Amino acid sequence: MTDLHRLSIRELSEGLKQAQFSSRELTEHYLKRIAKIDPKVKSYVTVTAEQALIEADAADVALKSGHAHALAGIPLAHKDIFCTQGIKTTAGSKMLDNFISPYDATVVAKAKAAGLVTLGKVNMDEFAMGSTSESSYFGATGNPWALDHVPGGSSGGSAAAVAADLAPIATGTDTGGSIRQPASFCGLTGLKPTYGRVSRFGMIAYASSLDQGGPMARSAEDCAYLMNVIAGHDAKDSTSVNKEVDDYVANLNGTAVKGLRIGIPKQYFNVAGLDADVKARVEESLKKLEEMGAILVEIDLNMTEAYVPTYYLIAPAEASSNLSRFDGVRYGYRCENPVDLMDLYKRSRSEGFGAEVQRRILIGTYALSAGYYDAYYVKAQKVRRLIQQDFLKAFENVDVIAAPSAPTTAYKIGANLSPTEMYLGDIYTLAVNLAGLPAINAPVGFDKDSLPVGLQLIGNYWSESQLLSIVHQYQQNTDWHTKRAAIAEENA
Ligand code: GLN
């Protein structure tokens, strides 16, 4: 079969169960595509071909026994922030260029236990700091829709791999938009779960109170399948929540939209820098949802202006603390011939971290320093609470909140935005992490340059099933999620 990469997760699962093809054939098919097409896209940092075939053969044995998990034998790619035993985990950094984790992240372990086949590790902004994946030590990844554009970030490799059909699904992480924005830039569906739904154990920390892993795929249904595998309580992550996990696939239904109250925040649609095409596509998608029975309600989210400054204090503060472990002593990059301990620390960190990571360590250290702690960090925490309350108030009157996922479509590679310009591009995604809420991106059309546009729906806590169902129903009534970039049409 030459078109195995066109099948959805449900179709792959059924095909494997009915022995229409084996996991080995499917895995070889993807490995061939990666070998031929990824040199143009550059989504993979590491391809684990040999290991993948071993895993595929094991899945084929399980499938023959008739007791395999629904996803057994299906390949996936992991963001290179999830620790993988025996396989390099770089977090996109020179600091971890040669780091091999002695254990698997819980997300990776769960995927393995379900029989999913790891194709490899995909590119990302260094330590997940960025919105373009250009800050990776391993170089930029191309957007499959236009290779001279970025795939977004920080989970840009995950998005590009799926959009170019170099993996049927991928894991991502979202600290301030890193699943939703690259999903938006690459025309994919991506879910940022409620904080605590997916274990952070073995996921290299950026900002621990904001970090959350989640699925990136072609459709809400595909995301639901991966959520069924990765969600759940984990005793190894003290912030993971011990709450029953939905069956996200079984919960998909065709009745989520009728009578659904969708809040449209006035402030969001007046943001300077909101691209006219993005605005138009998002508004058209809302009109479509209205036709399908949703009720659009104008709401206020008065804290909108505080999102960027609040996040860009809290995230760097936590990052400066989390990244202090990379000191050249225990693991990671170590400078050559240090003259003394101070020199070892200084040069290992200056040489091992890229510019954006160093900028954030400096900002965060400053915000946490004794003299400025109250003025910056404590104040930001108070504003964070106000932002959360703003959402909770809104949810008294609406079921979900609609927004663009990003004010623009994908930037050109090398556009060289200033840090503040780049940070402003995160306006629509940051508050969700600050409040710990779940949110989803769904593709809703293209701009004048044929680059994908995404709609974001923000839900109340633990509403993952609802968000997936809304998008699923939208996708049953539209075909944006079925559009493929030209490069994905290429055969290997
Ligand atoms: N773009 C945001 C940042 O640079 C979000 C990144 C993320 O979610 N990991 O911090």
Side-chain angles (χ1 to χ4, degrees):
M1 278 176 109
T2 53
D3 54 359
L4 287 174
H5 56 280
R6 304 190 150 276
L7 303 183
S8 70
I9 300 300
R10 184 167 44 76
E11 290 165 335
L12 288 174
S13 175
E14 282 165 9
L16 286 165
K17 293 250 145 78
Q18 292 160 11
Q20 288 166 11
F21 46 85
S22 65
S23 174
R24 174 170 269 266
E25 283 172 83
L26 177 61
T27 303
E28 280 175 344
H29 179 81
Y30 269 104
L31 290 171
K32 242 169 91 188
R33 288 186 62 78
I34 293 168
K36 165 113 186 279
I37 296 169
D38 201 48
K40 292 182 250 183
V41 180
K42 304 190 185 82
S43 61
Y44 282 83
V45 175
T46 305
V47 180
T48 50
E50 230 170 274
Q51 184 62 29
L53 291 173
I54 294 171
E55 290 172 12
D57 288 341
D60 281 328
V61 172
L63 282 158
K64 279 211 184 89
S65 79
H67 298 294
H69 183 279
L71 295 197
I74 296 180
L76 94 165
H78 284 299
K79 184 174 181 178
D80 209 10
I81 199 166
F82 289 101
C83 286
T84 41
Q85 190 175 11
I87 300 167
K88 253 181 19 164
T89 299
T90 68
S93 182
K94 178 178 180 184
M95 187 56 96
L96 293 177
D97 184 18
N98 285 313
F99 175 63
I100 295 187
S101 166
Y103 61 88
D104 280 330
T106 296
V107 162
V108 171
K110 283 179 169 237
K112 268 190 193 167
L116 281 149
V117 172
T118 304
L119 293 170
K121 307 290 292 290
V122 281
N123 203 18
M124 53 180 283
D125 278 301
E126 185 176 9
F127 285 102
M129 299 174 192
S131 308
T132 65
S133 299
E134 289 170 291
S135 75
S136 169
Y137 174 60
F138 304 97
T141 294
N143 185 317
W145 293 92
L147 291 172
D148 57 345
H149 285 63
V150 304
S154 65
S155 313
S158 309
V162 176
D165 277 338
L166 304 176
I169 35 173
T171 54
T173 64
D174 191 312
T175 302
S178 281
I179 287 176
R180 293 159 285 156
Q181 183 258 26
S184 174
F185 279 14
C186 291
L188 300 178
T189 307
L191 175 72
K192 183 262 170 203
T194 306
Y195 183 77
R197 182 69 298 177
V198 172
S199 170
R200 293 185 297 108
F201 179 76
M203 200 176 101
I204 294 173
Y206 163 15
S208 308
S209 77
L210 306 163
D211 296 342
Q212 188 60 200
M216 302 177 71
R218 290 206 166 272
S219 67
E221 187 184 65
D222 288 0
C223 282
Y225 273 104
L226 188 52
M227 268 304 275
N228 272 2
V229 174
I230 63 175
H233 176 243
D234 179 10
K236 295 189 198 127
D237 169 6
S238 62
T239 61
S240 100
V241 175
N242 198 348
K243 180 177 175 8
E244 209 184 316
V245 182
D246 289 352
D247 182 334
Y248 299 100
V249 177
N251 281 358
L252 292 176
N253 61 62
T255 56
V257 175
K258 194 161 173 46
L260 181 79
R261 293 174 64 82
I262 304 180
I264 317 285
K266 272 185 247 159
Q267 292 79 356
Y268 283 23
F269 289 83
N270 290 325
V271 163
L274 173 56
D275 178 86
D277 284 355
V278 171
K279 189 173 179 198
R281 291 305 92 75
V282 167
E283 283 172 351
E284 286 156 21
S285 70
L286 292 170
K287 188 112 200 78
K288 177 76 195 169
L289 285 162
E290 194 176 31
E291 277 165 34
M292 290 166 58
I295 301 153
L296 306 184
V297 187
E298 205 175 63
I299 61 166
D300 274 304
L301 284 174
N302 289 311
M303 298 299 295
T304 304
E305 275 182 14
Y307 297 169
V308 174
T310 306
Y311 172 90
Y312 277 100
L313 275 167
I314 291 174
E318 293 185 14
S320 71
S321 164
N322 275 326
L323 271 56
S324 66
R325 72 191 65 170
F326 301 105
D327 56 6
V329 177
R330 284 163 294 182
Y331 40 71
Y333 175 82
R334 178 179 297 173
C335 68
E336 300 271 345
N337 307 317
V339 294
D340 57 21
L341 186 64
M342 255 337 203
D343 186 46
L344 168 76
Y345 287 157
K346 276 192 195 161
R347 280 204 293 120
S348 296
R349 288 168 67 80
S350 312
E351 293 165 19
F353 289 134
E356 184 60 28
V357 172
Q358 294 194 33
R359 177 177 301 117
R360 298 203 190 187
I361 291 173
L362 290 173
I363 294 171
T365 307
Y366 184 82
L368 290 176
S369 61
Y372 295 102
Y373 187 81
D374 288 340
Y376 292 114
Y377 187 68
V378 171
K379 185 142 184 206
Q381 290 288 24
K382 290 181 179 165
V383 178
R384 178 179 189 172
R385 177 55 64 90
L386 294 176
I387 291 169
Q388 182 199 28
Q389 284 171 352
D390 216 19
F391 277 105
L392 293 181
K393 213 175 105 217
F395 284 126
E396 287 172 11
N397 186 32
V398 297
D399 301 309
V400 295
I401 294 168
S405 285
T408 65
T409 53
Y411 317 110
K412 269 222 151 140
I413 290 178
N416 237 333
L417 303 183
S418 72
T420 38
E421 280 170 330
M422 178 84 78
Y423 301 166
L424 284 170
D426 296 334
I427 175 90
Y428 293 118
T429 46
L430 303 175
V432 162
N433 303 73
L434 289 167
L437 294 165
I440 196 165
N441 176 77
V444 294
F446 298 87
D447 73 357
K448 57 184 177 319
D449 301 318
S450 305
L451 291 165
V453 173
L455 163 73
Q456 179 181 202
L457 292 174
I458 304 166
N460 209 335
Y461 297 105
W462 314 110
S463 65
E464 288 81 2
S465 277
Q466 183 186 29
L467 293 175
L468 289 165
S469 278
I470 297 165
V471 172
H472 179 60
Q473 203 184 333
Y474 175 82
Q475 291 178 338
Q476 287 181 321
N477 287 275
T478 54
D479 64 358
W480 298 118
H481 67 294
T482 67
K483 307 277 186 218
R484 276 169 152 80
I487 199 163
E489 305 280 359
E490 283 179 29
N491 282 320

